[in-house]
Coordinates of all heavy atoms in Angstrom, one line a residue:
M1 N 74.3 -84.5 31.2 CA 75.1 -85.7 31.4 C 75.6 -86.2 30.0 O 74.8 -86.2 29.1 CB 74.3 -86.8 32.1 CG 75.1 -87.9 32.5 SD 74.1 -89.2 33.4 CE 73.6 -90.2 32.0
V2 N 76.9 -86.5 30.0 CA 77.4 -87.0 28.7 C 77.3 -88.6 28.7 O 77.8 -89.2 29.7 CB 78.8 -86.6 28.5 CG1 79.4 -87.2 27.2 CG2 78.9 -85.1 28.5
C3 N 76.7 -89.1 27.8 CA 76.6 -90.6 27.7 C 77.8 -91.1 26.9 O 78.1 -90.6 25.8 CB 75.3 -91.0 27.0 SG 75.0 -92.7 27.0
S4 N 78.5 -92.0 27.4 CA 79.8 -92.4 26.9 C 79.7 -93.0 25.5 O 80.7 -93.1 24.8 CB 80.6 -93.3 27.8 OG 79.8 -94.5 28.0
N5 N 78.6 -93.6 25.2 CA 78.5 -94.2 23.8 C 77.9 -93.3 22.8 O 77.6 -93.8 21.7 CB 77.8 -95.6 23.9 CG 76.3 -95.5 24.2 OD1 75.9 -94.4 24.5 ND2 75.6 -96.5 24.1
M6 N 77.9 -92.0 23.1 CA 77.4 -91.1 22.1 C 78.6 -90.3 21.5 O 79.5 -90.0 22.2 CB 76.4 -90.1 22.7 CG 75.2 -90.7 23.3 SD 74.2 -91.7 22.1 CE 73.2 -90.3 21.4
V7 N 78.6 -90.1 20.2 CA 79.7 -89.6 19.5 C 79.2 -88.4 18.7 O 78.2 -88.5 18.0 CB 80.3 -90.6 18.6 CG1 81.5 -90.0 17.8 CG2 80.8 -91.8 19.3
M8 N 79.8 -87.2 18.9 CA 79.4 -86.0 18.2 C 79.9 -86.1 16.7 O 81.1 -86.2 16.5 CB 79.9 -84.8 18.9 CG 79.0 -83.6 18.6 SD 79.7 -82.5 17.4 CE 81.1 -81.8 18.3
I9 N 79.0 -86.0 15.8 CA 79.3 -86.0 14.4 C 78.8 -84.6 13.8 O 77.7 -84.2 14.0 CB 78.7 -87.1 13.6 CG1 78.9 -88.5 14.3 CG2 79.1 -87.1 12.2 CD1 80.3 -89.0 14.2
N10 N 79.6 -84.0 13.0 CA 79.2 -82.8 12.3 C 79.0 -83.1 10.8 O 79.9 -83.5 10.1 CB 80.3 -81.7 12.4 CG 80.5 -81.2 13.8 OD1 79.6 -80.8 14.4 ND2 81.7 -81.3 14.3
F11 N 77.7 -82.9 10.4 CA 77.4 -83.0 9.0 C 77.2 -81.7 8.4 O 76.4 -80.8 8.9 CB 76.0 -83.8 8.8 CG 76.1 -85.2 9.2 CD1 75.7 -85.6 10.5 CD2 76.5 -86.2 8.4 CE1 75.7 -86.9 10.9 CE2 76.6 -87.5 8.8 CZ 76.2 -87.9 10.0
R12 N 77.8 -81.4 7.2 CA 77.6 -80.2 6.5 C 76.7 -80.5 5.3 O 77.1 -81.3 4.4 CB 78.9 -79.6 6.0 CG 78.8 -78.3 5.3 CD 80.2 -77.7 4.8 NE 81.1 -77.5 5.9 CZ 81.1 -76.4 6.7 NH1 80.2 -75.4 6.4 NH2 81.9 -76.3 7.7
D13 N 75.5 -79.9 5.3 CA 74.6 -80.3 4.2 C 74.9 -79.5 3.0 O 75.8 -78.6 2.9 CB 73.1 -80.1 4.7 CG 72.6 -78.6 4.8 OD1 73.3 -77.7 4.2 OD2 71.6 -78.4 5.4
P14 N 74.2 -79.8 1.9 CA 74.5 -79.2 0.6 C 74.4 -77.7 0.6 O 75.1 -77.0 -0.2 CB 73.5 -79.8 -0.4 CG 73.2 -81.1 0.2 CD 73.2 -80.9 1.7
E15 N 73.7 -77.1 1.5 CA 73.6 -75.6 1.6 C 74.7 -75.1 2.5 O 74.7 -73.8 2.6 CB 72.2 -75.2 2.1 CG 71.1 -75.1 1.1 CD 70.7 -76.4 0.6 OE1 70.3 -77.3 1.4 OE2 70.7 -76.7 -0.7
G16 N 75.5 -75.9 3.0 CA 76.6 -75.4 3.9 C 76.2 -75.3 5.4 O 77.0 -74.9 6.2
K17 N 75.0 -75.7 5.7 CA 74.5 -75.7 7.1 C 75.1 -76.9 7.8 O 75.1 -78.0 7.3 CB 73.0 -75.7 7.2 CG 72.5 -75.5 8.6 CD 71.0 -75.5 8.6 CE 70.5 -76.9 8.5 NZ 69.1 -77.2 8.8
V18 N 75.7 -76.6 9.0 CA 76.3 -77.7 9.7 C 75.3 -78.2 10.8 O 74.8 -77.4 11.5 CB 77.6 -77.2 10.4 CG1 78.2 -78.4 11.3 CG2 78.7 -76.9 9.4
V19 N 75.1 -79.5 10.7 CA 74.2 -80.1 11.7 C 75.1 -81.0 12.6 O 75.8 -81.9 12.2 CB 73.2 -81.0 11.1 CG1 72.3 -81.7 12.1 CG2 72.3 -80.2 10.1
A20 N 75.2 -80.6 13.9 CA 76.0 -81.3 14.9 C 75.1 -82.3 15.6 O 74.0 -81.8 16.1 CB 76.7 -80.4 15.9
T21 N 75.4 -83.5 15.6 CA 74.5 -84.5 16.2 C 75.2 -85.5 17.1 O 76.4 -85.8 16.8 CB 73.7 -85.3 15.1 OG1 72.8 -86.2 15.7 CG2 74.6 -86.1 14.2
D22 N 74.6 -85.9 18.2 CA 75.2 -86.9 19.0 C 74.6 -88.2 18.5 O 73.4 -88.4 18.5 CB 74.8 -86.7 20.5 CG 75.6 -85.6 21.1 OD1 76.8 -85.5 20.8 OD2 75.0 -84.8 21.9
A23 N 75.5 -89.1 18.0 CA 75.0 -90.4 17.5 C 75.6 -91.5 18.3 O 76.6 -91.4 18.9 CB 75.6 -90.5 16.0
R24 N 74.8 -92.6 18.3 CA 75.1 -93.7 19.1 C 76.2 -94.6 18.4 O 76.1 -94.8 17.2 CB 73.9 -94.6 19.3 CG 74.0 -95.7 20.4 CD 72.7 -96.4 20.6 NE 71.7 -95.4 21.0 CZ 71.5 -94.9 22.2 NH1 72.4 -95.3 23.2 NH2 70.5 -94.1 22.5
S25 N 77.3 -95.0 19.2 CA 78.3 -95.9 18.6 C 77.6 -97.1 18.1 O 76.6 -97.6 18.7 CB 79.2 -96.3 19.7 OG 80.1 -95.3 20.1
G26 N 78.1 -97.6 17.0 CA 77.5 -98.8 16.3 C 76.5 -98.5 15.2 O 76.3 -99.3 14.3
L27 N 75.9 -97.3 15.3 CA 75.1 -96.9 14.1 C 76.1 -96.6 13.0 O 77.3 -96.4 13.2 CB 74.3 -95.6 14.4 CG 73.1 -95.7 15.4 CD1 72.5 -94.4 15.5 CD2 72.1 -96.8 14.9
T28 N 75.6 -96.5 11.8 CA 76.4 -96.0 10.6 C 76.2 -94.5 10.5 O 75.2 -93.9 11.0 CB 76.0 -96.7 9.3 OG1 74.6 -96.3 9.0 CG2 76.0 -98.2 9.4
L29 N 77.1 -93.9 9.8 CA 77.0 -92.5 9.5 C 75.7 -92.2 8.8 O 75.0 -91.2 9.1 CB 78.1 -92.0 8.7 CG 79.5 -91.6 9.3 CD1 80.4 -91.1 8.3 CD2 79.2 -90.6 10.4
M30 N 75.3 -93.0 7.9 CA 74.1 -92.8 7.2 C 72.9 -92.8 8.1 O 72.0 -91.9 8.1 CB 73.9 -94.0 6.1 CG 72.6 -93.9 5.3 SD 71.3 -94.8 6.2 CE 71.6 -96.5 5.7
E31 N 72.8 -93.8 9.0 CA 71.7 -93.8 10.0 C 71.7 -92.6 10.9 O 70.6 -92.0 11.2 CB 71.8 -95.1 10.9 CG 71.6 -96.4 10.1 CD 72.0 -97.6 10.8 OE1 73.0 -97.6 11.6 OE2 71.3 -98.7 10.6
A32 N 72.9 -92.2 11.3 CA 73.0 -91.0 12.1 C 72.5 -89.7 11.4 O 71.8 -88.9 11.9 CB 74.4 -90.8 12.6
A33 N 72.8 -89.6 10.1 CA 72.4 -88.5 9.3 C 70.9 -88.5 9.1 O 70.2 -87.4 9.3 CB 73.1 -88.5 7.9
L34 N 70.3 -89.6 8.9 CA 68.8 -89.7 8.7 C 68.2 -89.4 10.0 O 67.2 -88.6 10.1 CB 68.4 -91.1 8.2 CG 68.9 -91.4 6.8 CD1 68.3 -92.8 6.3 CD2 68.5 -90.4 5.8
N35 N 68.7 -89.9 11.1 CA 68.1 -89.7 12.4 C 68.1 -88.2 12.8 O 67.2 -87.7 13.4 CB 68.8 -90.4 13.5 CG 68.6 -91.9 13.5 OD1 67.7 -92.4 12.8 ND2 69.4 -92.7 14.2
A36 N 69.2 -87.5 12.3 CA 69.3 -86.1 12.6 C 68.6 -85.2 11.6 O 68.7 -83.9 11.7 CB 70.8 -85.7 12.7
G37 N 68.0 -85.8 10.6 CA 67.3 -85.0 9.6 C 68.3 -84.2 8.7 O 67.9 -83.1 8.1
V38 N 69.5 -84.7 8.5 CA 70.4 -84.0 7.6 C 69.9 -84.1 6.1 O 69.5 -85.2 5.7 CB 71.8 -84.7 7.7 CG1 72.8 -84.1 6.7 CG2 72.4 -84.6 9.1
E39 N 69.9 -83.0 5.5 CA 69.4 -82.9 4.1 C 70.4 -83.6 3.1 O 71.6 -83.5 3.4 CB 69.2 -81.5 3.6 CG 68.3 -80.7 4.5 CD 66.8 -81.1 4.2 OE1 66.5 -81.5 3.0 OE2 66.0 -81.0 5.1
G40 N 69.9 -84.3 2.1 CA 70.8 -84.7 1.0 C 71.3 -86.1 1.0 O 72.0 -86.5 0.2
I41 N 70.9 -86.9 2.1 CA 71.3 -88.3 2.1 C 70.0 -89.1 1.7 O 69.0 -88.9 2.3 CB 71.7 -88.7 3.5 CG1 73.0 -88.0 4.0 CG2 71.9 -90.2 3.5 CD1 74.3 -88.5 3.4
E42 N 70.1 -89.8 0.6 CA 68.9 -90.6 0.2 C 68.9 -92.0 0.7 O 67.9 -92.5 1.2 CB 68.9 -90.6 -1.4 CG 68.6 -89.2 -1.9 CD 68.6 -89.2 -3.5 OE1 68.5 -90.3 -4.1 OE2 68.7 -88.1 -4.0
A43 N 70.0 -92.7 0.6 CA 70.2 -94.0 1.2 C 69.0 -95.0 0.7 O 68.4 -95.6 1.4 CB 70.2 -94.0 2.7
A44 N 68.9 -95.0 -0.7 CA 67.8 -95.7 -1.3 C 67.8 -97.2 -1.0 O 66.8 -97.9 -0.9 CB 67.8 -95.5 -2.8
C45 N 69.0 -97.8 -0.8 CA 69.0 -99.3 -0.5 C 69.0 -99.6 1.0 O 69.0 -100.8 1.3 CB 70.3 -99.9 -1.2 SG 71.8 -99.5 -0.3
G46 N 68.9 -98.6 1.8 CA 68.8 -98.9 3.2 C 70.1 -99.3 3.9 O 70.0 -99.9 5.0
G47 N 71.2 -99.2 3.2 CA 72.5 -99.5 3.9 C 73.1 -100.8 3.4 O 74.0 -101.3 4.0
A48 N 72.6 -101.3 2.2 CA 73.1 -102.5 1.7 C 74.3 -102.4 0.7 O 74.7 -103.3 0.1 CB 72.0 -103.3 1.0
C49 N 74.8 -101.2 0.7 CA 76.0 -100.9 -0.2 C 75.7 -101.2 -1.7 O 76.5 -101.7 -2.4 CB 77.2 -101.6 0.2 SG 78.7 -100.8 -0.4
S50 N 74.4 -100.9 -2.1 CA 74.1 -101.2 -3.5 C 73.4 -100.0 -4.2 O 72.9 -100.2 -5.3 CB 73.1 -102.4 -3.5 OG 72.0 -102.1 -2.8
C51 N 73.4 -98.8 -3.6 CA 72.8 -97.7 -4.3 C 73.7 -96.5 -4.5 O 73.6 -95.7 -5.4 CB 71.5 -97.2 -3.6 SG 71.8 -96.4 -2.0
A52 N 74.6 -96.3 -3.6 CA 75.6 -95.2 -3.6 C 74.9 -93.8 -3.4 O 75.5 -92.8 -3.8 CB 76.5 -95.2 -4.9
T53 N 73.7 -93.8 -2.9 CA 73.0 -92.5 -2.7 C 73.2 -92.0 -1.2 O 72.4 -91.2 -0.7 CB 71.6 -92.6 -3.1 OG1 70.9 -93.5 -2.3 CG2 71.4 -92.9 -4.5
C54 N 74.2 -92.5 -0.6 CA 74.5 -92.1 0.8 C 75.9 -91.5 0.8 O 76.6 -91.5 1.8 CB 74.4 -93.2 1.8 SG 75.6 -94.6 1.4
H55 N 76.3 -91.0 -0.4 CA 77.7 -90.5 -0.6 C 78.0 -89.3 0.3 O 77.1 -88.4 0.4 CB 77.8 -90.1 -2.1 CG 79.1 -89.5 -2.5 ND1 79.1 -88.6 -3.6 CD2 80.3 -89.6 -2.1 CE1 80.4 -88.3 -3.8 NE2 81.1 -88.8 -2.9
V56 N 79.2 -89.3 0.9 CA 79.6 -88.1 1.7 C 81.1 -87.9 1.4 O 81.8 -88.8 0.9 CB 79.4 -88.3 3.2 CG1 77.9 -88.3 3.5 CG2 80.2 -89.5 3.7
Y57 N 81.5 -86.7 1.7 CA 83.0 -86.4 1.7 C 83.4 -86.3 3.2 O 83.0 -85.4 3.9 CB 83.2 -85.0 1.0 CG 82.7 -85.0 -0.4 CD1 81.7 -84.1 -0.8 CD2 83.2 -85.8 -1.4 CE1 81.2 -84.0 -2.1 CE2 82.7 -85.8 -2.7 CZ 81.7 -84.9 -3.0 OH 81.3 -84.8 -4.3
V58 N 84.4 -87.1 3.5 CA 84.9 -87.1 4.8 C 86.0 -86.0 4.9 O 86.9 -85.9 4.0 CB 85.6 -88.5 5.2 CG1 86.3 -88.4 6.5 CG2 84.5 -89.5 5.2
D59 N 85.9 -85.1 5.9 CA 86.9 -84.1 6.1 C 88.3 -84.7 6.0 O 88.6 -85.7 6.7 CB 86.8 -83.4 7.4 CG 87.7 -82.2 7.5 OD1 88.9 -82.4 7.9 OD2 87.2 -81.1 7.3
P60 N 89.2 -84.2 5.1 CA 90.5 -84.8 4.9 C 91.3 -85.1 6.2 O 92.1 -86.0 6.3 CB 91.2 -83.9 4.0 CG 90.1 -83.2 3.2 CD 89.0 -83.0 4.2
S61 N 91.1 -84.3 7.2 CA 91.8 -84.5 8.5 C 91.4 -85.8 9.2 O 92.0 -86.2 10.1 CB 91.7 -83.3 9.4 OG 90.4 -83.2 9.8
W62 N 90.3 -86.4 8.7 CA 89.8 -87.6 9.4 C 90.0 -88.8 8.6 O 89.7 -89.9 9.1 CB 88.3 -87.4 9.6 CG 88.0 -86.5 10.8 CD1 87.7 -85.2 10.8 CD2 87.9 -86.9 12.2 NE1 87.5 -84.7 12.1 CE2 87.6 -85.8 12.9 CE3 88.1 -88.1 12.8 CZ2 87.5 -85.8 14.3 CZ3 88.0 -88.2 14.2 CH2 87.7 -87.0 14.9
T63 N 90.4 -88.7 7.3 CA 90.5 -89.9 6.5 C 91.3 -91.0 7.1 O 91.0 -92.2 7.0 CB 90.9 -89.6 5.0 OG1 92.1 -88.8 5.1 CG2 89.8 -88.9 4.3
D64 N 92.4 -90.7 7.7 CA 93.3 -91.7 8.3 C 92.7 -92.3 9.6 O 93.2 -93.4 10.0 CB 94.7 -91.1 8.7 CG 95.5 -90.8 7.4 OD1 95.1 -91.2 6.3 OD2 96.5 -90.0 7.5
E65 N 91.7 -91.7 10.1 CA 91.1 -92.3 11.3 C 90.1 -93.4 11.0 O 89.6 -94.1 11.9 CB 90.4 -91.2 12.1 CG 91.2 -90.0 12.4 CD 92.4 -90.3 13.3 OE1 92.3 -91.2 14.2 OE2 93.5 -89.7 13.0
L66 N 89.7 -93.5 9.8 CA 88.6 -94.4 9.4 C 89.2 -95.7 8.8 O 90.2 -95.6 8.0 CB 87.7 -93.8 8.3 CG 86.9 -92.5 8.8 CD1 86.2 -91.9 7.6 CD2 86.0 -92.8 9.9
P67 N 88.6 -96.8 9.0 CA 89.0 -98.0 8.3 C 88.7 -97.7 6.8 O 87.8 -97.0 6.4 CB 88.0 -99.1 8.8 CG 87.5 -98.5 10.1 CD 87.5 -97.1 10.0
G68 N 89.6 -98.2 5.9 CA 89.4 -98.0 4.5 C 88.2 -98.7 4.0 O 87.6 -99.5 4.6
P69 N 87.8 -98.3 2.8 CA 86.6 -98.9 2.1 C 86.8 -100.3 1.7 O 87.9 -100.7 1.4 CB 86.3 -98.0 0.9 CG 87.6 -97.4 0.6 CD 88.4 -97.2 1.9
S70 N 85.7 -101.1 1.8 CA 85.8 -102.5 1.3 C 85.9 -102.4 -0.3 O 85.6 -101.4 -0.9 CB 84.6 -103.3 1.7 OG 83.4 -102.7 1.1
D71 N 86.2 -103.6 -0.8 CA 86.2 -103.6 -2.3 C 84.8 -103.3 -2.9 O 84.7 -102.6 -3.9 CB 86.6 -105.1 -2.8 CG 88.0 -105.3 -2.5 OD1 88.8 -104.4 -2.2 OD2 88.4 -106.5 -2.6
L72 N 83.7 -103.7 -2.2 CA 82.4 -103.4 -2.7 C 82.1 -101.9 -2.6 O 81.6 -101.4 -3.6 CB 81.4 -104.2 -1.8 CG 79.9 -104.0 -2.1 CD1 79.6 -104.3 -3.6 CD2 79.0 -104.7 -1.2
E73 N 82.5 -101.3 -1.5 CA 82.3 -99.9 -1.4 C 83.1 -99.1 -2.5 O 82.6 -98.2 -3.1 CB 82.7 -99.3 0.0 CG 82.5 -97.8 0.1 CD 82.9 -97.3 1.5 OE1 83.2 -98.0 2.4 OE2 82.9 -96.0 1.6
T74 N 84.3 -99.6 -2.7 CA 85.1 -98.9 -3.7 C 84.5 -99.1 -5.1 O 84.5 -98.1 -5.9 CB 86.5 -99.6 -3.8 OG1 87.1 -99.4 -2.5 CG2 87.4 -98.9 -4.8
D75 N 83.9 -100.2 -5.4 CA 83.2 -100.4 -6.7 C 82.0 -99.5 -6.8 O 81.8 -98.9 -7.8 CB 82.8 -101.9 -6.8 CG 83.9 -102.8 -7.1 OD1 85.0 -102.4 -7.4 OD2 83.7 -104.1 -7.0
M76 N 81.3 -99.4 -5.7 CA 80.1 -98.6 -5.7 C 80.4 -97.1 -5.9 O 79.7 -96.3 -6.5 CB 79.2 -98.8 -4.5 CG 78.5 -100.1 -4.4 SD 77.5 -100.5 -5.9 CE 76.3 -99.2 -5.8
L77 N 81.5 -96.7 -5.3 CA 81.9 -95.3 -5.4 C 82.2 -94.9 -6.9 O 82.2 -93.7 -7.2 CB 83.2 -95.0 -4.5 CG 82.8 -94.8 -3.0 CD1 84.1 -94.9 -2.2 CD2 82.1 -93.5 -2.8
E78 N 82.5 -95.9 -7.7 CA 82.7 -95.5 -9.1 C 81.5 -95.0 -9.8 O 81.7 -94.3 -10.9 CB 83.3 -96.8 -9.9 CG 84.7 -97.1 -9.4 CD 85.2 -98.3 -10.1 OE1 84.6 -98.8 -11.1 OE2 86.3 -98.8 -9.7
I79 N 80.3 -95.2 -9.3 CA 79.2 -94.7 -10.0 C 78.7 -93.3 -9.5 O 77.7 -92.7 -10.0 CB 78.0 -95.7 -10.0 CG1 77.4 -95.8 -8.6 CG2 78.4 -97.0 -10.6 CD1 76.1 -96.6 -8.6
V80 N 79.3 -92.8 -8.4 CA 78.8 -91.5 -7.9 C 79.3 -90.4 -8.8 O 80.4 -90.4 -9.4 CB 79.2 -91.2 -6.4 CG1 78.8 -92.4 -5.5 CG2 80.7 -91.0 -6.3
N81 N 78.5 -89.3 -8.9 CA 78.9 -88.1 -9.6 C 79.8 -87.3 -8.6 O 79.6 -87.3 -7.4 CB 77.7 -87.3 -10.0 CG 77.0 -87.9 -11.2 OD1 77.5 -88.8 -11.8 ND2 75.8 -87.4 -11.5
D82 N 80.8 -86.7 -9.2 CA 81.7 -85.8 -8.4 C 82.4 -86.6 -7.3 O 82.5 -86.1 -6.2 CB 81.0 -84.6 -7.9 CG 81.9 -83.4 -7.5 OD1 83.1 -83.5 -7.9 OD2 81.5 -82.5 -6.8
R83 N 83.0 -87.7 -7.7 CA 83.7 -88.5 -6.7 C 85.1 -87.7 -6.4 O 85.7 -87.2 -7.4 CB 84.0 -89.9 -7.3 CG 84.8 -90.7 -6.3 CD 85.1 -92.1 -6.9 NE 85.9 -92.9 -5.9 CZ 86.3 -94.1 -6.2 NH1 86.1 -94.7 -7.3 NH2 87.0 -94.7 -5.3
R84 N 85.5 -87.7 -5.2 CA 86.7 -87.1 -4.8 C 87.5 -88.1 -4.0 O 87.0 -89.1 -3.6 CB 86.4 -85.9 -3.9 CG 85.6 -84.8 -4.7 CD 85.2 -83.6 -3.8 NE 84.2 -82.8 -4.5 CZ 83.6 -81.8 -3.9 NH1 83.8 -81.5 -2.6 NH2 82.7 -81.1 -4.5
P85 N 88.8 -87.8 -3.7 CA 89.7 -88.7 -3.0 C 89.1 -89.0 -1.6 O 89.3 -90.1 -1.1 CB 91.0 -88.0 -2.8 CG 91.0 -87.0 -4.0 CD 89.6 -86.6 -4.2
N86 N 88.3 -88.1 -1.0 CA 87.7 -88.3 0.3 C 86.3 -88.8 0.3 O 85.6 -88.7 1.3 CB 87.9 -87.1 1.2 CG 87.2 -85.9 0.6 OD1 87.0 -85.8 -0.7 ND2 86.9 -84.9 1.4
S87 N 85.8 -89.3 -0.9 CA 84.5 -89.8 -1.0 C 84.3 -91.1 -0.3 O 85.2 -92.0 -0.3 CB 84.1 -90.0 -2.5 OG 83.9 -88.8 -3.2
R88 N 83.2 -91.2 0.4 CA 82.9 -92.5 1.1 C 81.4 -92.7 1.0 O 80.6 -91.8 0.8 CB 83.3 -92.5 2.6 CG 84.8 -92.5 2.8 CD 85.5 -93.7 2.4 NE 85.0 -95.0 3.0 CZ 85.5 -95.5 4.1 NH1 86.5 -95.0 4.7 NH2 85.0 -96.7 4.5
L89 N 81.0 -93.9 1.3 CA 79.5 -94.2 1.4 C 79.2 -94.3 2.9 O 79.8 -95.1 3.6 CB 79.2 -95.5 0.7 CG 79.4 -95.5 -0.8 CD1 79.0 -96.9 -1.4 CD2 78.6 -94.4 -1.5
S90 N 78.3 -93.4 3.3 CA 78.1 -93.2 4.8 C 77.5 -94.5 5.4 O 77.6 -94.6 6.6 CB 77.3 -92.0 5.0 OG 76.0 -92.0 4.4
C91 N 76.9 -95.3 4.6 CA 76.3 -96.5 5.3 C 77.4 -97.6 5.6 O 77.1 -98.6 6.3 CB 75.2 -97.2 4.4 SG 75.9 -98.0 2.9
Q92 N 78.6 -97.3 5.1 CA 79.7 -98.3 5.4 C 80.6 -97.9 6.5 O 81.7 -98.5 6.7 CB 80.4 -98.5 4.0 CG 79.6 -99.1 2.9 CD 78.9 -100.4 3.3 OE1 79.6 -101.4 3.6 NE2 77.6 -100.5 3.4
I93 N 80.3 -96.7 7.1 CA 81.2 -96.2 8.2 C 80.4 -96.4 9.5 O 79.4 -95.7 9.7 CB 81.6 -94.8 7.9 CG1 82.4 -94.7 6.6 CG2 82.4 -94.2 9.1 CD1 82.7 -93.3 6.1
K94 N 81.0 -97.2 10.4 CA 80.4 -97.4 11.7 C 80.9 -96.3 12.7 O 82.1 -96.0 12.7 CB 80.8 -98.7 12.2 CG 79.9 -99.9 11.8 CD 78.9 -100.2 12.8 CE 78.2 -101.6 12.6 NZ 77.5 -101.8 11.4
I95 N 80.0 -95.7 13.4 CA 80.4 -94.7 14.4 C 81.0 -95.4 15.6 O 80.5 -96.4 16.1 CB 79.2 -93.9 14.8 CG1 78.7 -93.1 13.6 CG2 79.5 -93.0 16.0 CD1 77.3 -92.5 13.8
A96 N 82.2 -94.9 16.0 CA 82.9 -95.4 17.2 C 83.5 -94.3 18.0 O 83.6 -93.2 17.5 CB 84.0 -96.4 16.7
A97 N 83.9 -94.6 19.2 CA 84.3 -93.5 20.1 C 85.4 -92.7 19.5 O 85.5 -91.5 19.7 CB 84.8 -94.2 21.4
G98 N 86.3 -93.3 18.7 CA 87.4 -92.6 18.2 C 87.0 -91.5 17.1 O 87.9 -90.8 16.7
L99 N 85.8 -91.5 16.8 CA 85.3 -90.6 15.7 C 84.7 -89.3 16.3 O 84.0 -88.6 15.6 CB 84.4 -91.3 14.8 CG 85.0 -92.5 14.0 CD1 84.0 -93.0 13.0 CD2 86.3 -92.1 13.3
Q100 N 84.9 -89.1 17.6 CA 84.3 -87.9 18.3 C 84.7 -86.6 17.5 O 85.9 -86.3 17.3 CB 84.9 -87.8 19.7 CG 84.2 -86.9 20.6 CD 82.8 -87.3 21.0 OE1 81.8 -86.7 20.6 NE2 82.7 -88.4 21.8
G101 N 83.7 -85.9 17.0 CA 84.0 -84.7 16.3 C 84.2 -84.8 14.8 O 84.5 -83.8 14.1
L102 N 84.0 -86.0 14.3 CA 84.1 -86.3 12.9 C 83.3 -85.3 12.0 O 82.2 -85.0 12.4 CB 83.6 -87.7 12.5 CG 83.6 -88.1 11.1 CD1 85.0 -88.2 10.5 CD2 82.9 -89.4 10.9
E103 N 83.9 -84.8 10.9 CA 83.2 -83.9 10.0 C 83.0 -84.5 8.7 O 84.0 -85.0 8.1 CB 84.0 -82.6 9.9 CG 84.0 -81.9 11.2 CD 84.5 -80.4 11.1 OE1 84.5 -79.9 10.0 OE2 84.9 -79.9 12.1
V104 N 81.8 -84.5 8.2 CA 81.6 -85.0 6.8 C 80.7 -84.0 6.1 O 79.8 -83.4 6.7 CB 80.9 -86.4 6.8 CG1 81.8 -87.4 7.4 CG2 79.6 -86.4 7.4
A105 N 80.8 -83.9 4.8 CA 80.0 -83.0 4.0 C 79.2 -83.8 3.0 O 79.6 -84.9 2.5 CB 80.9 -82.1 3.2
V106 N 77.9 -83.4 2.8 CA 77.0 -84.1 1.9 C 77.1 -83.4 0.5 O 77.1 -82.2 0.5 CB 75.6 -84.0 2.5 CG1 74.6 -84.7 1.5 CG2 75.5 -84.6 3.9
P107 N 77.3 -84.2 -0.5 CA 77.4 -83.5 -1.9 C 76.1 -82.9 -2.3 O 75.0 -83.1 -1.7 CB 77.8 -84.7 -2.8 CG 77.3 -85.9 -2.1 CD 77.4 -85.6 -0.6
A108 N 76.2 -82.0 -3.3 CA 75.1 -81.3 -3.8 C 74.0 -82.2 -4.3 O 72.8 -81.9 -4.2 CB 75.5 -80.3 -4.9
T109 N 74.4 -83.3 -4.9 CA 73.3 -84.3 -5.4 C 73.8 -85.7 -5.1 O 75.0 -85.9 -4.8 CB 73.1 -84.2 -6.9 OG1 74.2 -84.9 -7.6 CG2 73.0 -82.8 -7.4
Q110 N 72.9 -86.6 -5.1 CA 73.2 -88.0 -4.9 C 73.0 -88.7 -6.2 O 72.8 -89.9 -6.3 CB 72.3 -88.7 -3.8 CG 72.6 -88.2 -2.4 CD 73.9 -88.7 -1.8 OE1 74.6 -89.5 -2.4 NE2 74.3 -88.1 -0.7
D111 N 73.1 -88.0 -7.4 CA 73.0 -88.6 -8.7 C 74.1 -89.7 -8.9 O 75.2 -89.4 -8.5 CB 73.1 -87.6 -9.8 CG 71.9 -86.6 -9.8 OD1 70.9 -87.0 -9.1 OD2 72.0 -85.6 -10.4
V112 N 73.7 -90.8 -9.5 CA 74.7 -91.8 -9.8 C 74.5 -92.2 -11.3 O 73.5 -91.9 -11.9 CB 74.5 -93.1 -9.0 CG1 74.7 -92.8 -7.5 CG2 73.1 -93.7 -9.2
D113 N 75.6 -92.7 -11.8 CA 75.6 -93.2 -13.2 C 75.0 -94.6 -13.3 O 75.3 -95.4 -12.5 CB 77.1 -93.2 -13.8 CG 77.7 -91.8 -13.8 OD1 77.0 -90.9 -14.0 OD2 78.9 -91.8 -13.6
G114 N 74.3 -94.8 -14.3 CA 73.8 -96.1 -14.6 C 72.6 -96.6 -13.8 O 72.1 -96.0 -12.9
Ligands
FES201 S1 72.6 -96.6 1.6 FE1 72.8 -97.5 -0.4 S2 74.9 -97.6 -0.6 FE2 74.7 -96.6 1.3

């Protein structure tokens, strides 16, 4: 049975292994990754947008489907190593029905500057 508030998310871990997980709408991508045991997400601040160790790369085909980052998230992204145009903080992205099949990749490290 398919539960309508579950959304399939594909996480690609730093080793390239894809973990497909059904995540509940309303959770954040960070919470879904931790629940699914995805390697490489630290989330040291627990989702308060103050550590930047939940960095992910959103597949470019999905960037327009997501609400843009807040000013706080944009500021925090400045301290991540290997920031790219599709970098986001996974604790700031809420899972919603429109994200069915979303693909995100976890960077090789969650090292931050400063
Ligand atoms: S968990 Fe700390 S910024 Fe996302």
